[in-house]
Structures are given as structure tokens and as C-alpha cells.
Amino acid sequence: VALRVTYLHYFPKIADAIGGPPASPPVLGPFGSDPPVVTLEDWKARRAPLLRAALAEDVFGALPPHLDEQVLARLALPTDGLPAGAKLQQLTVGFGAAGDRGKANVLLVQGTGRPRALIVIQNFCGNAVALNNRYKQAFSLAGTAKECRGVMEDLSHIILGKYPHAPPLKWILERGYAVAMVYAGDLVPDDHRTAPAALARLYGPSPQGPPGGALAAWAWLYSELGEVLTREPGLQGAPVIAWGHSRNGKAALWAAANDPNIAGVIAHQSGRGGASLTRSAMGESLGGITRNYGFWFTPRYATFAGREAEIPVDQHQLIALIAPRPVLIGSGDRDGWADPPGAFRAVQGASPIYQLYGAPAFTQTQLSQPDFSRPLAFYMRAGTHGVTTQDWGNFLQFLDAHFPARG
Ligand code: GCU
């Protein structure tokens, strides 16, 4: 359904200079009965916890409780096509005692030496597709979204660009990064009929905070994987980057807003419920997303449909919670569905918190003229929803600027 919805939307070219309404209420201003934020201490001690609680309450639900993770099985795979010395394996990670609360299969790809960072990628189509079906026989396709099979898979490649499902591993490794890939639907299915049972198992009998939807569980998966994977040989101390396209970008942002151990985020075309402001007129409506994908969110999010101006919290505050860590928001000028101007205004709105930390302000005025040297960065490239060669060029340029080689 998701891909079908996306495919059918072809948007007129979005203007490059930003002229829309200002961001939702300023991030430093009063928030409910909480007085304005003046110092970094005000932000850290008072405001950030309030915003995190508000985003849990009104948008995503709280993350599941932390569980013990362990590697239950390992499968070594041939590394043809990867640089010399590379290592490719699939780890089955279990959560709770022997994986009784949930499991996920993770493809771990490592080069030689210590990586600049470990990029954790949540994909749409499972690990077989993430390796261009080179080892299809090694993986079960049982958990793979139906949009990713057969004709739909071919179609999605044509429409979504070169790298929507299978990132350019050789290139990424040569630039000094390690990669972990996972299909979050392994843990909580991307399906409103089967997600509730998986969520109930993950949250357990006494969840702490408002019930989370699938995005909260997928966010939690970024965190738990960051923890378990940085115990692997060669990955100790590696900064963990949460990378997500579209729905996975929404989860990546919520992950980093909760988990200080996530060192940076790339949220590409994450749209409504992601980097784009809920109070925004362009693209997917709040009513639409919660009608089609209500189970991604906490049920309260849907109650603001048609009265978006009343939602107490907005997505610039989500981005602000990640400060001062590097965040890159990517978009396309024909991807109005994901609302690039709404994401641009959210980035502008988050900038004062980066400045509180002493980081440079976000001063960009054209959507298409990024400055990747700043920790808070935004770009809009030509084209639609998808992941292209140009996108990976941008991602790596941004990461290189913020995550130095570690020798
Ligand atoms: C649908 C959905 C979006 C989502 C996208 C995706 O189009 O409406 O909110 O971001 O799927 O994940 O590709």
C-alpha cells in the first residue's frame, strides 16, 4: 500500500527559496506552563525532558523498555564485489531471554580497520533485497514486505532510484564506514493486523509511558542494535549513525531523540511524522497518514487531524532533541508528499538549540544549497521520492565532515 500511495503522487517542482509561514511555536519560547528557555541548563534539565514526554504522548508513544540483547546465530557470507578484506555476516539478534520478546536479522558489513562510524540502516525489503538478491537462498523472504517481491520490486527500483533498498556497500566501505542493515518488519511487522501482537510482546505487561506504535518500536531497534553491534570485534567505540529513508527516517529521528548513544542521524525524505512539521499545509495530511498508517503512531496523533494548530508539540522540537549531534535532512524537489519546505522550516526551528550548544546557526535560505560542514544540515536535490547516487554522495560528504577517520 505504502509504495502504491507514493508512486501515484507526482508533484510539481517545489520552489527553492523558502517563503512559507514561520515554524511552529519557537523552540525557546514558553511551552505550556514552562517558562522560556534561556540557558543550556534550562534546555537540558527542564525543557528537553518535557518535549520528549510530549512527543511520546502526542505523536509516537514511548519506546519499549530496554531488553537484554544477544546474538543467537551468525551466518558468514561471501564478500565478492566488496573491497579486499571485507567481512559480511548475518547476525540473528534476540531480545529478552533467548529472543522471547523479539528477533531481528542484521546484515553486518565491515571493512578493514576501525570504521569512522557504523551506519545502521533500516531497509524496506529485507536483507536478501538489500544485497541485490545475491544470496537469496541464504535468507527467508517470509518477513519481506509484499511491495518488495517480484514485479513490485522491479517497479520500485525503477521509480525509487538506484539505492532505495540496496545501499552502495563497496563505496561506503571504501569511504571508511561499516554498515548494518535490518528490516524492522522482522521485529514489528509493517502491517496493522499483525503489529499489535508484536508490540505487546515487546512492551511487556507494564509499559513505561503512553503506548507506542510501530515507529517507536522501530526507533527502539536502532538503539538496541547500536548497543549490541558496538560490542562486535572492530566496532567497539564506533559512533552509531541511524540512517532511514521515509518511514525509516521517522523512526531514526525518534530513536536519536531518546538515545544519546546515537551519534548522528540521516533522515531522508521522512516527511509527515518525521522531519516535516505537522503544522504544514503541503503533502501528506495528518488525517491521511493516520488513516493509512495509524498503527505507526500513538492513537492520540490522529485526534489532531483537522486541528493541527492545536497539537502541543511539533517536529522541529523532535530535531532539537538531537542537538548538538549531526543531523542531515534530505529531500527531493518533486517529493511534495514528504513536504520538503515543512522539513526545512523544522530544521530552521531546531537551530536555536544547536546555537545554545555553541554550534553555528542554520542560516541557509535556498533549499538546494546545503552546507554539510554544519551539524544541522538540509538539502533538496532534483527528483522524486527515492535514494539516488547523488543522495549517497551527500550522505557521505556530510558524515566525512563530522566523523573523522579513527585510524
Ligand atoms: C507512504 C507514507 C509516508 C511514508 C512513505 C514511505 O507514502 O504515506 O508517510 O514516509 O510511505 O515510507 O515510503
Side-chain angles (χ1 to χ4, degrees), residues 194-215:
T194 46
L199 286 169
R201 201 164 54 236
L202 212 54
Y203 278 88
S206 45
Q208 293 165 336
L215 285 169

Side-chain angles (χ1 to χ4, degrees), residues 293-315:
Y293 307 99
F295 72 103
W296 286 357
F297 302 94
T298 196
R300 219 173 122 76
Y301 194 42
T303 67
F304 295 101
R307 50 178 199 106
E308 286 79 356
E310 291 169 46
I311 190 165
V313 69
D314 211 333
Q315 305 304 92

Side-chain angles (χ1 to χ4, degrees), residues 284-295:
E284 185 172 24
S285 69
L286 178 51
I289 196 170
T290 52
R291 238 186 339 273
N292 292 325
Y293 307 99
F295 72 103

Side-chain angles (χ1 to χ4, degrees), residues 1-7 9 124 160 190 215 218 245-250 268-274 284-285 288-290 292-293 296-297 335 337-338 385-386:
V1 178
L3 293 178
R4 250 169 277 144
V5 172
T6 309
Y7 290 168
H9 286 82
F124 278 80
L160 294 178
D190 193 1
L215 285 169
W218 300 336
H245 175 227
S246 215
R247 69 197 64 185
N248 302 313
K250 307 181 211 285
H268 183 52
Q269 301 178 318
S270 58
R272 192 70 57 243
E284 185 172 24
S285 69
I289 196 170
T290 52
N292 292 325
Y293 307 99
W296 286 357
F297 302 94
D335 185 23
W337 187 246
H385 202 65

Side-chain angles (χ1 to χ4, degrees), residues 291-358:
R291 238 186 339 273
N292 292 325
Y293 307 99
F295 72 103
W296 286 357
F297 302 94
T298 196
R300 219 173 122 76
Y301 194 42
T303 67
F304 295 101
R307 50 178 199 106
E308 286 79 356
E310 291 169 46
I311 190 165
V313 69
D314 211 333
Q315 305 304 92
H316 60 314
Q317 290 153 321
L318 170 69
I319 299 171
L321 285 171
I322 308 172
R325 291 165 286 165
V327 174
L328 174 61
I329 305 297
S331 66
D333 70 1
R334 300 262 184 197
D335 185 23
W337 187 246
D339 183 15
F344 187 86
R345 289 199 299 276
V347 170
Q348 285 181 319
S351 172
I353 303 303
Y354 279 78
Q355 291 166 255
L356 265 190
Y357 277 98

